[in-house]
Amino acid sequence: MLKRILITGANAGIGKESARQLALVEGTEKIYLGCRNQEKAEQAKAELTQITGKDIFEVLLIDVADSESVKLAVKQLSQPIDALIMNAGGAGGTHFNQRTTDGVTQQFAVNVFGHAVLLENLLATEKLTQVALYAGSEAARGVKEMGMERPNLKTSSVEEFVSIGNGSFFASNKDSQASYGTTKYVGALWMAALSRKHPNIRFVTMSPGGTKGTQVLESEPLVKRFVFKLMMQAMSMFGKVHSVDVAAKRFVTALLDDSYKSGVFYGSRMGISGPIVDQATLFSDLSNFTHQDNAREAITRFMH
């Protein structure tokens, strides 16, 4: 039974809907809404309380792009949590390839590094007891149907993964989408590595799939967001994407059902929606222990 749950990026979209669904699960006593904006977080809390009829939501200010904010949030947790949903993320905004004070790109910070700092600190302080879920993306194994190439690494060494984190791997890349899949790939490898280091905790990577109303490009330029919205509408007409409640259900089911195995990355079998399978059956590099450990080592090199 999961009594206390923390969700990052919980003020809107899939994170907020996950909070709603989990609040209705028997035994849930506390849901921490991990958000970077106090006002939006309080509004989400009020709406969720009204919708569910459950006064179990608590705001926890956390900005996953800021490692100090993440560390402070962990300290502010007065008691351990049973489950963590690492939902916050996105393309990284107009300055996605600019480096943070930790030396990683904005895109890598919001999708991988901030959550790595969060989870590693929770584990170190014994403030996570049962399960951690990371929001993956089918882009991490490539999506031929959408013209997305799978990550193309030459050595998968620690140094190469470091270059992904600091952005040098992508040279003069001007498109946030070109590096997004590779960034998510590193995140999935990191989670798999943790599953072997901490066998008492279940670590699951689950893609929410292609989702209408997603927040992934919320901080992108207006034109890019407009084009993306049109593309999603077109895909929706052909049943290639699904609704926010379906995406959140993927998270909630994987969290509650321990048949979703630790160290495995789950996502759509084809495209970005539909039946879920182990993504390593589509891209075997995901199950390579050396790659997994090298990815985690690269991430820890940025930690202070």
Side-chain angles (χ1 to χ4, degrees):
M1 182 178 294
L2 305 178
K3 295 182 178 181
R4 295 177 295 277
I5 305 159
L6 167 59
I7 305 171
T8 66
N11 67 279
I14 300 170
K16 182 180 178 183
E17 174 60 17
S18 296
R20 185 194 71 80
Q21 291 184 22
L22 284 166
L24 301 178
V25 174
E26 184 178 358
T28 304
E29 296 179 358
K30 176 78 68 176
I31 297 178
Y32 293 97
L33 305 176
C35 307
R36 62 181 179 178
N37 182 288
Q38 181 81 48
E39 183 178 352
K40 291 181 179 180
E42 293 294 346
Q43 181 178 350
K45 175 184 176 180
E47 291 173 355
L48 285 165
T49 300
Q50 181 178 24
I51 292 170
T52 64
K54 302 289 185 67
D55 187 17
I56 61 173
F57 303 97
E58 182 174 326
V59 171
L60 181 68
L61 287 182
I62 179 170
D63 181 356
V64 294
D66 180 352
S67 62
E68 293 304 315
S69 168
V70 173
K71 294 173 186 176
L72 179 59
V74 173
K75 290 180 180 179
Q76 291 177 334
L77 284 172
S78 58
Q79 56 186 333
I81 57 173
D82 299 309
L84 168 68
I85 296 181
M86 294 170 280
N87 164 72
T94 55
H95 304 294
F96 71 96
N97 57 357
Q98 287 189 3
R99 295 180 185 177
T100 68
T101 55
D102 294 301
V104 299
T105 65
Q106 289 286 340
Q107 185 180 80
F108 197 84
V110 298
N111 287 287
V112 180
F113 187 68
H115 283 131
V117 173
L118 172 60
L119 183 48
E120 300 268 9
N121 272 267
L122 286 171
L123 293 169
T125 56
E126 298 184 343
K127 286 188 174 181
L128 177 67
T129 66
Q130 295 187 46
V131 56
L133 184 145
Y134 172 69
S137 170
E138 284 85 0
R141 48 84 171 159
V143 185
K144 291 183 179 179
E145 299 86 343
M146 297 181 67
M148 294 181 182
E149 299 294 331
R150 65 178 41 177
N152 183 23
L153 279 66
K154 294 180 180 179
T155 65
S156 295
S157 64
V158 173
E159 289 70 24
E160 190 167 30
F161 284 117
V162 167
S163 74
I164 294 170
N166 65 30
S168 60
F169 179 86
F170 306 103
S172 57
N173 174 39
K174 302 296 184 182
D175 182 5
S176 62
Q177 294 303 298
S179 53
Y180 180 74
T182 303
T183 295
K184 283 293 191 179
Y185 171 60
V186 177
L189 292 174
W190 158 68
M191 283 287 285
L194 280 179
S195 72
R196 288 183 285 107
K197 183 176 177 60
H198 300 277
N200 58 317
I201 303 288
R202 192 160 55 93
F203 300 86
V204 178
T205 297
M206 172 64 79
S207 170
T211 310
K212 293 178 288 185
T214 181
Q215 304 292 306
V216 70
L217 294 181
E218 182 182 15
S219 59
E220 294 297 290
L222 180 61
V223 173
K224 194 170 193 176
R225 281 186 282 129
F226 178 73
V227 172
F228 181 77
K229 183 177 181 180
L230 289 179
M231 181 183 71
M232 294 297 282
Q233 289 177 341
M235 293 178 67
S236 178
M237 293 175 62
F238 294 97
K240 299 296 184 180
V241 296
H242 47 235
S243 59
V244 170
D245 63 311
V246 172
K249 186 64 176 177
R250 284 190 177 194
F251 286 177
V252 172
T253 301
L255 211 65
L256 300 174
D257 185 351
D258 59 13
S259 68
Y260 287 90
K261 299 177 181 178
S262 188
V264 177
F265 169 22
Y266 296 94
S268 301
R269 181 173 62 84
M270 294 182 63
I272 55 175
S273 64
I276 295 170
V277 299
D278 176 353
Q279 297 294 281
T281 63
L282 306 174
F283 185 25
S284 61
D285 285 13
L286 285 160
S287 59
N288 186 298
F289 286 0
T290 300
H291 296 178
Q292 294 168 5
D293 291 338
N294 286 349
R296 181 169 181 261
E297 171 61 25
I299 291 171
T300 60
R301 287 193 182 183
F302 291 107
M303 294 183 180
H304 305 302

